[in-house]
Amino acid sequence: MAAVPPVVWYLAIAVTALVSSGVLYALARPGGRWGRHLRSRFVLGVPWGTLVVVALVLLFYLVPQDGLTHWFQPLVIPYRAWSYFYPLGILSAGFAHSGPGHLVGNLLGTFTFGVLAEYAWSHFPTARGSQSFRSLREDPRARIAAFVAVTLFAGVFMGAFSLGPVIGFSGVVFAYAGFAIVRYPVGTIGILLAGDLLGLVYRALRSPTSTATPGPSFSSPYWAEIAIQGHAIGFFLGVLLGALVVARRREGSSPALVWVAALLFAVDRGLWAVYTYGEGGSFVLYRAGGVALLFLIAALVASGAGATARDLITSIDLSRREAALGLLLSVLVALSAVAVPYNLLAIADGGSGFEDESGVEAGDYTVYYAEDVPDRFVTAFDVPGVQTSNVTVSGAIVVSEQRNIWWETVSERRLAFDGTQRIVLGGPTYRRTVVVNRTGWSAVGGPTTYRVRLRVAGEPWQFAHRSDPARAGPTVAGRNVSIDPLPGRADDPNAFAVNVTWGGERLGRAPVPANGTHVEVGGLRVIREDRGLYVSRNGTRVQVARKENYN
């Protein structure tokens, strides 16, 4: 069956969307009411603040992150929030993105939740007797500027108090949603569904058709990719700001609707995915505890949105509203405080920890490859009830004392799956790419042995690591065969030797032959056929190894 050209699918989506919208218009007959509602809150009915924010976030991706010339490989590492000793990362992390998919997802979230949050804020004063342009507080231009300024503050807040080297605008999107839920809970759920629709349309336009076949793959659990703590502080920051605005304006929504909206939003956006790091690169998900937290989140949000000024404790003149707002503030402070000790770590002060290993330098960065070394970030503090002291990492690790960075950028498992990975490094004034390459052989009935090389793009390769030899299970004439990765020789990715032993005594050693050739070693003929390695003697032929195949 001939493939349908993508343009046909694009036209199909556009035409059906227009037809469906026309049917909606004919049935609803809004008669301009939608426009009047928008103009009652927005200058000319346009959410100018949201558009400015979208433009700023996109501009950061295109210019500082170099997305204009490297759309699919932006500069990411220098713009992560590494620590308080690296101000550039703290200031930029909330606005930078790891790639186009990450960027587009957050921009769609900004277009949806940001517009509703700006509508709740309003360009025009809402208090009875107020008048636009009469004072700075009532000036629509100032109110638009205030919306943008608070958004920028929220982005910096995310970078300063999110746990780990986070990146992305999603924390601010969660703040928008938290702000909107307090005032328009039903509208927020509608926007949540609209955002899912926009995301689906974007994916359909990007990949009109796709074919999936069974096979091996590499990925972390999807919930381990969620910056749960950063999303939570963004959400509670938005809820707190929304509750303050609602209390000041003496407006609000049904606490029951707020409770339902907060619960549904938290479920949909994964605020239940509480996890920690386990040993050997594993993750531990506390699903039951996370679900229990959802109900507490809903109760907190509803209490902040619906609490009145009635006295709660008369003796200390504490109102219900003050108690609810104080509780929201306490939760926000507690969530934010978790990140402070880690952001105060001077990880690079103790050196890289790889002084005896081979690394490549790229500007003020050094990239090493190591296996089973303690994670210098995760193991910095012991968390009660969580085994963090035994967390190790294996893979390509980026170190920069100037930027206070020590980070596993490419894991050993990722490299075993792909074979080659590229690490983009640099800063506002330069860009470097470090290539990590692995080649290996899998012994039949035994382990895999491999070599790892590193190089800065355009420069010679440098040997970085070799694993233990791998001995094959089958024997021929009582002889064992093992594959041994050779040290050095970074220019040759196929620097492996064949060892033949008998009773623990080495009978011979020779380089793995080239494809289509053979070599005599220890009384055996070693034959290379494509990716397979065979040995033969007196008519007996056995496969002993196969060259690693990468995706």
Side-chain angles (χ1 to χ4, degrees), residues 458-470:
E459 298 181 8
W461 286 102
Q462 183 168 319
F463 174 78
H465 178 81
R466 65 171 181 152
S467 67
D468 294 331

Side-chain angles (χ1 to χ4, degrees), residues 359-363 432-435 454-462:
V360 295
E361 294 186 358
R432 301 282 189 278
T433 300
V434 173
V435 185
L454 301 169
R455 75 181 179 98
V456 178
E459 298 181 8
W461 286 102
Q462 183 168 319

Side-chain angles (χ1 to χ4, degrees), residues 10-364:
Y10 300 156
L11 290 173
I13 292 175
V15 170
T16 54
L18 288 173
V19 170
S20 182
S21 300
V23 170
L24 172 63
Y25 186 90
L27 293 174
R29 298 183 181 278
R33 285 178 295 169
W34 296 346
R36 287 197 298 272
H37 279 300
L38 288 175
R39 289 190 296 272
S40 70
R41 291 270 178 161
F42 294 150
V43 174
L44 301 179
V46 178
W48 299 106
T50 302
L51 294 179
V52 170
V53 169
V54 167
L56 291 175
V57 173
L58 179 60
L59 185 65
F60 192 92
Y61 186 87
L62 294 176
V63 181
Q65 288 196 258
D66 204 21
L68 193 61
T69 54
H70 298 85
W71 176 252
F72 292 101
Q73 281 194 318
L75 193 56
V76 175
I77 289 179
Y79 300 115
R80 289 184 178 271
W82 295 107
S83 77
Y84 296 140
F85 301 103
Y86 182 54
L88 175 61
I90 296 294
L91 294 173
S92 62
F95 309 100
H97 290 85
S98 60
H102 189 201
L103 172 71
V104 172
N106 281 336
L107 290 184
L108 288 176
T110 303
F111 270 121
T112 52
F113 294 112
V115 169
L116 188 58
E118 189 174 2
Y119 186 86
W121 169 246
S122 179
H123 297 169
F124 304 106
T126 58
R128 180 176 298 178
S130 60
Q131 183 178 342
S132 297
F133 299 101
R134 187 173 59 182
S135 66
L136 183 63
R137 180 181 297 178
E138 297 169 320
D139 191 325
R141 294 166 298 184
R143 295 175 70 87
I144 294 171
F147 179 84
V148 175
V150 172
T151 296
L152 298 178
F153 164 79
V156 176
F157 188 89
M158 295 300 109
F161 295 105
S162 292
L163 184 61
V166 298
I167 195 169
F169 201 63
S170 57
V172 180
V173 174
F174 272 73
Y176 284 151
F179 188 92
I181 279 176
V182 174
R183 182 65 182 89
Y184 298 109
V186 176
T188 304
I189 297 305
I191 289 294
L192 181 67
L193 298 176
D196 292 341
L197 173 61
L198 288 176
L200 177 61
V201 171
Y202 168 73
R203 292 190 296 274
L205 292 173
R206 184 177 179 183
S207 302
T209 60
S210 62
T211 303
T213 56
S217 63
F218 171 87
S219 63
S220 299
Y222 74 93
W223 41 263
E225 304 294 331
I226 300 174
I228 178 69
Q229 183 262 359
H231 289 176
I233 64 173
F235 181 68
F236 277 103
L237 175 62
V239 169
L240 178 61
L241 294 175
L244 288 170
V245 170
V246 165
R248 181 178 181 84
R249 296 178 180 177
R250 299 178 181 177
E251 58 186 14
S253 298
S254 165
L257 290 177
V258 173
W259 186 91
V260 171
L263 186 63
L264 293 178
F265 176 84
V267 171
D268 184 81
R269 293 306 164 109
L271 287 180
W272 52 269
V274 180
Y275 69 93
T276 61
Y277 294 98
E279 296 184 20
S282 63
F283 303 91
V284 181
L285 174 66
Y286 300 95
R287 182 181 284 108
V291 171
L293 283 175
L294 293 181
F295 293 99
L296 293 179
I297 289 173
L300 282 170
V301 176
S303 64
T308 66
R310 291 175 54 192
D311 286 341
L312 178 64
I313 303 177
T314 307
S315 59
I316 59 173
D317 194 24
L318 179 66
S319 70
R320 296 172 184 268
R321 179 176 295 155
E322 290 170 341
L325 293 176
L327 187 57
L328 283 173
L329 179 60
S330 298
V331 170
L332 178 62
V333 170
L335 287 170
S336 303
V338 172
V340 173
Y342 288 95
N343 287 339
L344 286 172
L345 280 176
I347 293 177
D349 284 353
S352 68
F354 304 109
E355 283 77 6
D356 297 329
E357 300 287 340
S358 298
V360 295
E361 294 186 358
D364 56 274

Side-chain angles (χ1 to χ4, degrees), residues 472-493:
T475 62
V476 176
R479 291 165 169 79
N480 295 106
V481 179
S482 61
I483 310 298
D484 186 8
L486 302 177
R489 299 181 62 180
D491 58 326
D492 182 6

